[in-house]
Amino acid sequence: MRISDKLREKIEEQIATGELPPGCALDEAMLVEAHGVSRTPVREALIQLASDGLIEIRPRRGAVVASIGPARLIEMFEVMAELEAMCGRLAARRMTEDERSNLRAAYKACEVARAAQDTDSYFYCNEQFHAAIYAGSHNKFLCEQAFQLQRRLRPYRRLQLRVRKRMGVSLKEHKSILRFITAADADSAAIALREHVVVQGERFGDLLASLAELAPVATN
């Protein structure tokens, strides 16, 4: 893996965990010093992060972690929900037995993380669960679009797991999704995934409350 790719993943992870909150400035010189690399891979990493929509590069002001308004955020989750529903529908019809086994293993890993009340581990296991569904759709273009938007929403999907009881609810929803996909029930799988991902009602209010906690940090 190239140095710039490793650095991009590291910065992406810091954004996802809230270590680099929305509005945080990304100074090239500081990144060079912090990661012990030259300016070239830093610039390449920032360009890639900007293309993914995770940061914004502003003329004469440098790079900052992107901020999304509530209206835009709900629109993005709506699209993500539809992409996941499409993946689930196709996965229920097309998954091989090995791919179903991978999905079951990802669900079991989520169970372990939930039992340990480890939100970080659950977040990564959750990503593996969804990635298994994307792969099972056997539609490369759909997978590419789903992964691209997933990366863009990664910090916000992670914030959702901080909400009390959300991890347990998520696991129950995973159980239903797993059941429908392994039973080749395409329509039910699509509905379950759409409802699992879309953010509305109380869930949207909870997400906004979590975002508000980051606001003072983002304005420093």
Side-chain angles (χ1 to χ4, degrees):
M1 183 182 290
R2 297 185 308 165
I3 295 175
S4 60
D5 291 332
K6 292 180 180 179
L7 182 57
R8 176 188 59 77
E9 288 189 354
K10 176 62 177 177
I11 297 173
E12 181 182 290
E13 193 64 29
Q14 291 175 315
I15 293 173
T17 59
E19 186 178 343
L20 296 174
C24 178
L26 300 174
D27 181 74
E28 279 191 20
M30 291 180 64
L31 291 172
V32 165
E33 183 178 353
H35 298 282
V37 298
S38 67
R39 281 185 178 269
T40 297
V42 167
R43 288 171 180 167
E44 290 175 349
L46 293 178
I47 289 171
Q48 182 59 52
L49 288 165
S51 70
D52 289 340
L54 289 173
I55 70 171
E56 298 173 359
I57 299 178
R58 302 172 179 175
R60 296 182 297 279
R61 295 182 59 189
V64 296
V65 178
S67 299
I68 304 177
R72 181 70 167 180
L73 192 60
I74 196 68
E75 290 174 348
M76 293 172 72
F77 269 105
E78 285 178 347
V79 173
M80 188 78 250
E82 294 303 321
L83 289 176
E84 297 249 2
M86 290 175 65
C87 288
R89 183 185 300 278
L90 293 176
R93 290 164 43 191
R94 299 175 177 177
M95 260 190 173
T96 66
E97 188 52 47
D98 284 345
E99 289 170 335
R100 291 192 184 97
S101 294
N102 290 338
L103 185 62
R104 292 189 191 98
Y107 172 76
K108 290 295 184 181
C110 288
E111 276 190 321
V112 172
R114 166 64 177 82
Q117 289 295 301
D118 188 338
T119 56
D120 286 338
S121 292
Y122 188 90
F123 173 74
Y124 297 120
C125 295
N126 176 67
E127 286 196 321
Q128 290 301 311
F129 182 83
H130 287 270
I133 295 172
Y134 301 167
S137 73
H138 291 261
N139 185 314
K140 291 183 179 180
F141 180 75
L142 178 58
C143 286
E144 290 168 1
Q145 299 306 305
F147 274 120
Q148 182 177 6
L149 187 51
Q150 183 197 60
R151 285 196 300 271
R152 186 66 185 87
L153 287 171
R154 204 167 183 250
Y156 306 96
R157 293 183 79 161
R158 187 166 193 142
L159 276 176
Q160 287 181 294
L161 295 176
R162 296 183 184 178
V163 175
R164 186 171 177 268
K165 297 184 178 180
R166 176 57 198 161
M167 192 162 45
V169 172
S170 174
L171 185 64
K172 289 179 182 178
E173 292 169 351
H174 280 190
K175 187 175 183 178
S176 295
I177 292 164
L178 174 64
R179 183 173 73 251
F180 292 136
I181 289 179
T182 53
D185 187 344
D187 290 341
S188 295
I191 292 170
L193 270 158
R194 183 182 296 111
E195 293 178 349
H196 176 62
V197 175
V198 74
V199 174
Q200 57 189 4
E202 290 183 357
R203 285 179 60 185
F204 187 56
D206 290 339
L207 179 58
L208 288 183
S210 296
L211 286 172
E213 293 178 5
L214 295 180
V217 178
T219 55
N220 284 345

